[in-house]
Amino acid sequence: MFNTISMIGLGYIGLPTATLLAARGKKVIGVDISQLVVDTINKGEIHIVEPELDMLVKAAVASGYLRATTKPEPAEAFLIAVPTPFSDDHKPDLSYIKAAAISIAPVLKKGDLVILESTAPVGTTEKLAEWLAQERPMLSFPQHDAETADIQVAYCPERVLPGRVVHELVENDRVIGGMSRAATFMAASLYKIFVQGDLIAANARTAEMCKLTENSYRDVNIAFANELSIICEKLDIDVWELISLANRHPRVNILHPGAGVGGHCIAVDPWFIIDAVPDEARITRTAREVNDYKSDWVFDKIKTKITDVLDAQPFKSMADVKVACLGLAFKPDIDDLRESPAVEITEKVAHLGCQVQAVEPNIEVLTGKLVKPNLKLMPLEAALNCADVVCVLVKHRSFVEMVSEISKHLRVVDCVGLIAKSNMIEERS
Ligand code: SAJ
């Protein structure tokens, strides 16, 4: 049914999706506003870190099935995977989706399909169809002509985990929310090209809400774990032992407390619900607040330990205190520092004026806000050797392997359960 497919946005989702379609023998035109991204891909190289993607892109470009450009060209289907950030007051910013709609509108023709994959507030697919209709008044769209529209429009959210994107794009089930039955049918035949999971039909609004629900559910579960960690500290209970015991119940599955919730999805998407229905989304909002507060709470624990050092060694000043911060990434075993609670905490510790020894085995240099005279990137052993306080902020595999060394330290703030006395919590991540 589809011979030429265009992917708008060649980031963490768009590029792997484009590549999988090209690997199935479809002619794929990848579109990105960044000339650098386009040039990199056309050389058969990649601009993001994701296992297996480099080989797939190289092969797709070499075979001639994948080509990148900055300007949309005619195709039979257009998939949009562009960012949906939010503003400082947690309002969703749909400008990238609108810009994508305006950019593809001139090349649309009767019979084409447009699919939105970006996470977005409920009603965005309808807005997208309206923006397209405004740009192309001579074509008909599903909001007015449903099954007989010239252009069909659907929403199909991605649900892949960074680090496992290539596998999960193929294996995960997908919810397909067409604005008409024809749109759902067409979108399902497109995803059948590379998806082995089930393709489940819904309407566009339900599919949009489904994506927000999945990430909000995880945020609420993590918030409960984080709240338990704060409660247990007050009640002198080991939260890791507690959760491990509670999870032995066949219908209980509490996630892990941590330094807070980071990344570009779980900490963002619940706000799309809260913004739409602020009075009703009470648990959703509270979960966000609890998870954001957890980073402040961890920082306070570190400050207390630093005060202990200064009380015990009055000859020392703040500038002499050495604090090892273990982990900067937003979650274990990745190199992505964006929206990371560990980075936020480490920066705040550096702001106190002590010497911060950051340990992040997945990066080679500190950049941006982390470039400070009193903040150094160090190997784990060197940092442990001279640290007055050790803070475990991310449970990287390499830290787990060194747990006996870390746990020997006198003053440790461990917010990820690395050295918990009952370090037997089942891994349910
Ligand atoms: N975290 C905890 N405790 C846990 C699990 C996670 O504190 O028990 C923290 C992590 O350290 C991290 C944050 O939560 O800071 C988010 O990490 P994550 O692994 O929960 O999720 P993401 O952001 O990498 O990916 C999520 C996934 N959503 C769900 O699992 C419901 C993924 O499937 C989505 O495709 C992705 O969001 C997305 O793109 O929306």
Side-chain angles (χ1 to χ4, degrees):
M1 191 174 191
F2 301 99
N3 292 312
T4 306
I5 299 165
S6 184
M7 185 83 226
I8 314 296
L10 296 173
Y12 278 87
I13 302 302
L15 182 56
T17 306
T19 310
L20 287 171
L21 285 163
R24 298 290 186 279
K26 300 294 169 187
K27 187 178 161 210
V28 181
I29 304 162
V31 182
D32 201 283
I33 51 172
S34 162
Q35 187 66 51
L36 185 65
V37 167
V38 165
D39 293 343
T40 306
I41 293 167
N42 284 335
K43 278 190 267 170
E45 293 167 9
I46 58 174
H47 59 291
I48 50 181
V49 179
E50 182 60 41
E52 296 177 48
L53 188 61
D54 50 349
M55 298 310 294
L56 285 170
V57 169
K58 196 172 174 192
V61 172
S63 69
Y65 284 109
L66 174 64
R67 179 171 56 84
T69 170
T70 53
K71 198 169 175 299
E73 296 173 17
E76 290 146 39
F78 295 82
L79 279 70
I80 301 174
V82 295
T84 12
F86 61 41
S87 58
D88 287 343
D89 56 354
H90 299 124
K91 292 252 170 251
D93 171 3
L94 303 184
S95 60
Y96 291 89
I97 298 177
K98 188 170 184 185
I102 291 170
S103 78
I104 62 169
V107 296
L108 287 180
K109 59 188 182 317
K110 186 173 165 40
D112 286 352
L113 170 69
V114 178
I115 300 176
L116 180 63
E117 288 202 358
S118 311
T119 304
V122 173
T124 305
T125 310
E126 291 156 13
K127 282 193 178 137
L128 166 69
E130 209 40 59
W131 291 325
L132 293 172
Q134 281 163 15
E135 294 294 311
R136 294 296 304 272
M138 302 306 283
L139 289 171
S140 63
F141 288 83
Q143 60 272 39
H144 303 300
D145 291 277
E147 309 304 327
T148 59
D150 292 337
I151 307 292
Q152 288 297 348
V153 182
Y155 183 73
C156 179
E158 59 81 16
R159 352 161 94 161
V160 293
L161 203 64
R164 290 187 39 83
V165 169
V166 173
H167 282 276
E168 292 207 357
L169 272 177
V170 173
E171 286 159 17
N172 291 359
D173 296 343
R174 289 198 81 135
V175 178
I176 300 180
M179 284 183 64
S180 65
R181 283 195 313 280
T184 307
F185 177 79
M186 285 173 79
S189 33
L190 187 141
Y191 286 105
K192 255 187 220 144
I193 297 168
F194 67 95
V195 174
Q196 286 167 9
D198 293 340
L199 302 173
I200 304 142
N203 64 33
R205 294 178 80 84
T206 309
E208 288 164 339
M209 188 61 181
C210 184
K211 170 69 192 187
L212 303 180
T213 301
E214 289 159 15
N215 282 352
S216 300
Y217 164 78
R218 194 157 168 89
D219 199 40
V220 169
N221 192 333
I222 299 168
F224 183 57
N226 278 331
E227 182 165 292
L228 282 175
S229 70
I230 295 169
I231 292 170
C232 284
E233 161 105 355
K234 290 235 155 179
L235 300 181
D236 194 22
I237 290 167
D238 176 349
V239 68
W240 304 95
E241 180 185 11
L242 173 79
I243 292 177
S244 146
L245 294 172
N247 281 351
R248 296 261 169 165
H249 185 290
R251 285 173 294 283
V252 173
N253 181 10
I254 305 165
L255 286 168
H256 310 251
V261 168
H264 344 290
C265 310
I266 306 269
V268 174
D269 301 356
W271 287 110
F272 294 168
I273 300 179
I274 302 164
D275 178 66
V277 282
D279 294 336
E280 288 77 13
R282 298 193 313 198
I283 291 177
T284 316
R285 179 194 295 275
T286 304
R288 278 286 68 247
E289 286 166 359
V290 169
N291 284 334
D292 282 347
Y293 168 68
K294 184 64 194 292
S295 308
D296 299 338
W297 187 85
V298 171
F299 174 63
D300 282 343
K301 295 278 138 217
I302 300 169
K303 261 198 326 200
T304 307
K305 289 274 186 239
I306 294 173
T307 309
D308 290 349
V309 173
L310 292 172
D311 288 348
Q313 302 171 47
F315 53 89
K316 270 196 175 179
S317 72
M318 185 61 98
D320 302 318
V321 178
K322 293 189 172 121
V323 181
C325 291
L326 309 192
L328 291 172
F330 87 81
K331 66 178 191 174
D333 304 319
I334 59 165
D335 64 349
D336 193 342
L337 308 195
R338 290 173 299 164
E339 321 300 333
S340 168
V343 167
E344 185 194 316
I345 293 167
T346 303
E347 272 190 280
K348 281 165 84 176
V349 175
H351 196 68
L352 292 174
C354 49
Q355 295 180 46
V356 178
Q357 307 168 159
V359 182
E360 179 43 77
N362 301 300
I363 62 164
E364 271 154 26
V365 278
L366 295 176
T367 53
K369 293 181 293 183
L370 288 168
V371 179
K372 295 183 196 295
N374 62 331
L375 179 44
K376 302 242 167 340
L377 191 63
M378 273 198 190
L380 179 60
E381 281 188 34
L384 289 178
N385 277 344
C386 55
D388 296 296
V389 177
V390 174
C391 327
V392 191
L393 302 175
V394 185
K395 200 172 179 180
H396 286 315
R397 213 172 296 134
S398 55
F399 300 160
V400 176
E401 284 160 9
M402 290 286 285
V403 67
S404 56
E405 291 306 306
I406 296 168
S407 55
K408 274 186 208 142
H409 209 278
L410 189 62
R411 291 188 185 86
V412 182
V413 177
D414 172 18
C415 60
V416 294
L418 184 81
I419 58 171
K421 71 174 178 280
S422 58
N423 199 3
M424 50 180 272
I425 187 160
E426 285 162 53
E427 291 298 327
R428 289 171 186 241
S429 59

